């Protein structure tokens, strides 16, 4: 039947993506790109969001094609560990050399954050690479609390005690226990896309910025692509931006060069 064929196709795609991830882990075919983040008012470089990719026979495979499968089958923990180690090894020396306060942001899955190995993994990576904790920003979604709000808050408190910054993505789902721990609030690209033409999106972004500032948080808008969006975000008091309007994701070498220019 058509339904059965559809299910078989989904299973086949899922299996292919699982194999893609296994191959990437075994063959070390992951690589990183880094999305620059800028102060909206001074245009100074704030830091970079780390973005993982897979090189599949010369074709770039983006996270949207494999992350959901990795989260379902548990391979997300291996991916997170690879990202943590890779990012710290890549930037540790250059950050120490220039004494920069540049922040390197890494996305951590809820599964890893709530896993008993997360903090030991992170501490070990910091120790082995001598990466400065003040330059690390851990980005999580508020959905981590759906599994265990108490455990999540304990872990995030320990991150803060280590000198690591916390950024919250997907803000607004109601877990205020996370909000007071965070320094940065990220507004998703889906809202930024609409601020020029959609009055509802514009009002929502204004409300998020106002609420975040009330809670002593800084605000970064993701996916900013044109000057009109920049103008509105400047007018309503957004603090930072990332997106194609000022810079596309850059390679590791390009990002290091950008950091060294600040020395």
């Amino acid at each position: 039947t058509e339904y059965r064929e559809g299910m078989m196709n989904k299973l086949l795609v899922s299996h292919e993506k699982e194999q893609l991830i296994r191959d990437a882990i075994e063959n070390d075919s992951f690589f990183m790109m880094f999305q620059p983040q800028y102060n909206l008012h001074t245009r100074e470089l704030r830091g970079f969001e780390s973005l993982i990719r897979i090189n599949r026979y010369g074709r770039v495979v983006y996270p949207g094609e494999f992350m959901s499968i990795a989260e379902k089958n548990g391979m997300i923990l291996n991916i997170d560990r690879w990202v943590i180690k890779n990012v710290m090894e890549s930037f540790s020396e250059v950050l120490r050399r220039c004494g920069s306060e540049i922040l390197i942001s890494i996305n951590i899955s809820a599964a890893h954050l709530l896993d008993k190995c997360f903090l030991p993994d992170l501490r070990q990576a910091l120790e082995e690479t001598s990466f400065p904790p003040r330059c690390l920003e851990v980005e999580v979604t508020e959905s981590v609390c759906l599994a265990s709000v108490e455990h999540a808050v304990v872990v995030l408190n320990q991150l803060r005690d280590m000198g690591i910054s916390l950024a919250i993505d997907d803000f607004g789902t109601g877990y205020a226990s996370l909000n007071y721990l965070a320094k940065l609030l990220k507004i998703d690209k889906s809202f930024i896309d609409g601020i020029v033409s959609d009055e509802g999106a514009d009002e929502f972004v204004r409300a998020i910025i106002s609420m975040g500032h009330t809670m002593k948080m800084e605000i970064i808008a993701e996916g900013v692509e044109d000057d009109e969006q920049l103008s509105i975000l400047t007018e309503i008091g957004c603090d930072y931006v990332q997106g194609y309007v000022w810079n596309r994701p850059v390679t590791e070498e390009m990002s290091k060069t950008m950091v060294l220019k600040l020395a």
Side-chain angles (χ1 to χ4, degrees), residues 6-156:
M7 289 298 294
M8 288 297 292
N9 286 334
K10 284 185 179 180
L11 287 172
L12 182 61
V13 170
S14 177
H15 175 74
E16 288 174 348
K17 289 182 177 179
E18 281 192 26
Q19 193 58 50
L20 169 72
I21 298 167
R22 288 194 180 93
D23 289 345
I25 293 171
E26 292 174 7
N27 300 319
D28 196 25
S29 53
F30 290 117
F31 69 99
M32 301 299 299
M33 297 291 286
F34 299 91
Q35 175 64 58
Q37 301 171 332
Y38 296 95
N39 184 304
L40 178 54
H41 308 285
T42 66
R43 202 160 173 172
E44 293 176 343
L45 182 68
R46 174 188 186 267
F48 301 90
E49 180 181 1
S50 307
L51 306 171
I52 191 169
R53 309 279 191 256
I54 293 176
N55 181 357
R56 176 72 167 174
Y57 304 125
R59 182 177 79 87
V60 176
V61 184
Y62 294 90
E65 296 185 57
F66 62 88
M67 277 302 196
S68 60
I69 296 295
E71 288 170 353
K72 287 178 182 177
N73 63 23
M75 287 192 283
I76 190 67
L77 300 187
N78 287 330
I79 293 175
D80 274 5
R81 291 186 185 107
W82 186 92
V83 169
I84 290 169
K85 184 179 180 182
N86 181 278
V87 168
M88 289 187 184
E89 287 179 344
S90 297
F91 282 92
S92 180
E93 183 183 351
V94 70
L95 289 173
R96 292 199 313 273
R97 255 169 58 196
C98 69
S100 174
E101 295 300 314
I102 289 294
L103 284 166
I104 310 297
S105 177
I106 55 174
N107 292 275
I108 297 296
S109 65
H112 194 194
L113 186 88
L114 298 175
D115 187 90
K116 63 182 180 181
C117 293
F118 172 63
L119 287 172
D121 285 345
L122 194 62
R123 287 195 177 98
Q124 182 179 351
L126 287 167
E127 183 177 341
E128 289 179 352
T129 63
S130 299
F131 188 95
R134 73 179 188 281
C135 293
L136 182 64
E137 182 173 74
V138 168
E139 183 177 331
V140 298
T141 64
E142 285 190 313
S143 60
V144 299
C145 281
L146 292 176
S148 172
V149 62
E150 294 85 3
H151 182 52
V153 170
V154 167
V155 172
L156 296 175

Side-chain angles (χ1 to χ4, degrees), residues 185 207-219 236-239:
L185 169 63
I208 291 178
I209 291 174
S210 176
M211 185 188 309
H213 285 163
T214 299
M215 298 167 67
K216 312 296 184 190
M217 299 166 74
E218 293 182 309
I219 316 295
I236 61 182
C238 189
D239 301 298

